[in-house]
Amino acid sequence: MKKTLLSLLFLTSLSINAQVWTVKPTGFTTVSRGLGSISIVDANNVWAMAVDGSATASQIVKEITRSSDGGNTWTPTTLSLGAGTAGLGLSSISAVSSTTAWISAYPGTGNVGGVWKTVNSGAAFTKQTTATFTAASFTNFVYFWDANNGIAQGDPDTAFFEIYTTTNGGTNWTRVPTGNIPATSPAGAEYGYSNNYYVSGNTIWFGTSSGRLYRSNDKGLNWTVSQPPSVTDFGSATAGGAYAFSSPLNGLLVTKTGQIFNTIDGGTTFTEIASTGFFNGDIAFVPGTLGAYVTTGTTGSSYTIDGGLTWTNIDALQHTVVAFLNDSVGFTGGFTTSATVGGVSQYTGTILKNKAFNANKFATYPNPVTDNVTISNSDNILLTDVNITDINGRTVKNIKVNNLSEVQMNVSELMAGVYFMNVTTDSGKVVKKFIKN
């Protein structure tokens, strides 16, 4: 039986740090409606898909909600997907404008899942019939890079995942040849999960029930697969994990075993980071920053601005999925407590914006470096301390600075590898990455 990825048991909401998250009503009239997928188009337009959080055995929900004012107010819609679709459930949503979005739906008894599109802000959805998922395939997600280029992924019909791509908005979907996709392991017994994917640029990843991470660098046309550490099943409550990427090569993996890992090769290999304070329900990179990520879970949320080396707790509220457009616009799912209270948290903080703003003013050179590395800025921001850490978060060098705007450091004694400068200034803290040859 298909496992659910999210923990949908409703918990009592606790107080939230209003400086970071502001709770808004999603508009769903049913208590314990949560969010299982969020798609941010721009600073104004946001779409989200509902999930049921009222019981351990979740009920099928065909509801979405949409905001056109940056998440301040939301308008819910109950979807009608056509005749013979009563047993279908929603697995993801992807939007490209205020009017146009796609949803993926997984099959129930006697139903076949697939992809549906709206061009009228959700008033009606039409099935895109050329994404011909078989009855055996559980449609896990749909994602669009723009109005034309998209991907839809489903479980294997035989020994290979059923993956489709389109270049014309879904008018025509083409199945990816099985020769472009690594075979399932165990053969025919590996599957994906609803909304379990991540995108950075043209690169997309999805996790599986075997704890494996599939990756495509060309919008889904060709695939490789890897086996991340400490994860045996991405949907498991005890052996699962969540992942996010800041670029096609750099990312973080948080696991249900309480570990966090860094990758610098797109997920082919991972290195454990000695850190605490993160959650392992979901994780998102904050675009436009150098190393800001936000993690969420059933007991709170936290953030990092140094690529996962250190984490700061935000609150003790229950969160589901999390998504960010940039350092000013982000959302995380919650659950409704009444018809007019709760369901989504809107990012209203400045903690990510300030850190990214300062970091972008600093230059580190040469990079890569052999002996002397310089960090400087043109805004006369004064440095007071530079703490250099390795990829595992261990301090390897510390330099006290007497309020200088430019500092040169000799790092010739360091082993070859990736390092982070944790810089304290008179305007706050920033993190810069450099490579030692």
Side-chain angles (χ1 to χ4, degrees):
M1 178 179 236
K2 188 82 172 183
K3 296 188 179 104
T4 55
L5 181 62
L6 295 173
S7 173
L8 301 180
L9 180 63
F10 177 74
L11 301 178
T12 302
S13 296
L14 302 176
S15 61
I16 189 170
N17 184 340
Q19 293 181 340
V20 179
W21 300 118
T22 299
V23 177
K24 301 285 186 175
T26 49
F28 299 124
T29 57
T30 304
V31 174
S32 299
R33 276 291 186 267
L35 297 183
S37 178
I38 299 173
S39 181
I40 308 174
V41 177
D42 52 39
N44 294 315
N45 296 288
V46 190
W47 300 61
M49 180 201 81
V51 291
D52 172 58
S54 63
T56 302
S58 303
Q59 304 299 310
I60 290 177
V61 176
K62 293 189 187 69
E63 297 173 356
I64 64 171
T65 189
R66 185 175 60 86
S67 175
S68 58
D69 60 5
N72 290 310
T73 60
W74 295 78
T75 302
T77 302
T78 299
L79 305 188
S80 176
L81 301 182
T85 62
L88 296 181
L90 305 186
S91 55
S92 73
I93 188 167
S94 181
V96 295
S97 72
S98 62
T99 60
T100 304
W102 294 259
I103 58 98
S104 58
Y106 59 83
T109 303
N111 303 120
V112 178
V115 176
W116 278 255
K117 180 182 182 180
T118 181
V119 293
N120 53 13
S121 301
F125 277 82
T126 302
K127 187 172 185 179
Q128 299 195 304
T129 56
T130 56
T132 54
F133 286 96
T134 62
S137 183
F138 190 107
T139 313
N140 293 303
F141 68 81
V142 61
Y143 176 80
F144 272 78
W145 280 267
D146 51 45
N148 294 312
N149 296 284
I151 182 174
Q153 183 260 6
D155 288 341
D157 55 351
T158 54
F160 297 91
F161 280 98
E162 202 168 343
I163 303 173
Y164 294 84
T165 61
T166 179
T167 57
N168 58 10
T171 301
N172 301 104
W173 288 90
T174 301
R175 183 167 179 177
V176 176
T178 57
N180 295 5
I181 309 169
T184 53
S185 179
E190 183 178 20
Y191 50 86
Y193 288 98
S194 299
N195 200 51
N196 190 319
Y197 72 96
Y198 206 87
V199 176
S200 179
N202 293 335
T203 303
I204 184 168
W205 298 259
F206 67 85
T208 76
S209 60
S210 296
R212 299 202 300 169
L213 197 61
Y214 278 73
R215 180 184 71 191
S216 169
N217 293 323
D218 53 11
K219 297 182 179 179
L221 298 178
N222 295 277
W223 294 84
T224 59
V225 69
S226 62
Q227 186 78 56
S230 299
V231 176
T232 58
D233 180 348
F234 269 103
S236 169
T238 57
Y243 49 90
F245 289 82
S246 62
S247 73
L249 295 178
N250 298 284
L252 294 178
L253 167 72
V254 292
T255 72
K256 297 296 186 181
T257 56
Q259 297 166 279
I260 182 169
F261 297 85
N262 168 279
T263 180
I264 58 173
D265 56 15
T268 302
T269 61
F270 288 86
T271 302
E272 187 171 2
I273 301 173
S275 185
T276 59
F278 53 87
F279 293 87
N280 53 26
D282 197 16
I283 182 172
F285 172 66
V286 182
T289 69
L290 295 180
Y293 291 79
V294 174
T295 61
T296 58
T298 58
T299 58
S301 62
S302 62
Y303 73 93
T304 178
I305 54 111
D306 58 11
L309 299 179
T310 58
W311 294 86
T312 301
N313 188 72
I314 298 174
D315 62 25
L317 191 73
Q318 183 181 18
H319 297 271
T320 58
V321 293
V322 59
F324 273 83
L325 175 71
N326 52 40
D327 58 15
S328 299
V329 180
F331 299 89
T332 177
F335 290 95
T336 56
T337 57
S338 75
T340 58
V341 178
V344 63
S345 291
Q346 175 190 20
Y347 177 71
T348 52
T350 58
I351 51 175
L352 304 172
K353 188 180 188 67
N354 289 344
K355 303 303 181 182
F357 176 78
N358 287 337
N360 291 332
K361 292 180 177 293
F362 283 83
T364 304
Y365 55 90
N367 193 6
V369 59
T370 301
D371 42 31
N372 293 315
V373 61
T374 299
I375 182 167
S376 65
N377 73 94
S378 58
D379 284 12
N380 201 33
I381 299 173
L382 302 180
L383 286 65
T384 59
D385 182 88
V386 180
N387 188 58
I388 300 178
T389 58
D390 63 15
I391 200 169
N392 294 312
R394 295 183 294 248
T395 297
V396 295
K397 194 178 187 73
N398 183 265
I399 301 171
K400 298 297 181 183
V401 183
N402 187 22
N403 293 322
L404 300 174
S405 60
E406 179 176 309
V407 177
Q408 185 180 82
M409 295 160 286
N410 189 314
V411 294
S412 59
E413 76 278 12
L414 300 182
M415 300 288 291
V418 176
Y419 294 89
F420 297 89
M421 291 185 191
N422 300 272
V423 184
T424 302
T425 78
D426 61 351
S427 300
K429 294 183 178 181
V430 296
V431 178
K432 300 293 289 185
K433 182 171 71 173
F434 71 93
I435 299 173
K436 171 63 170 59
N437 286 328

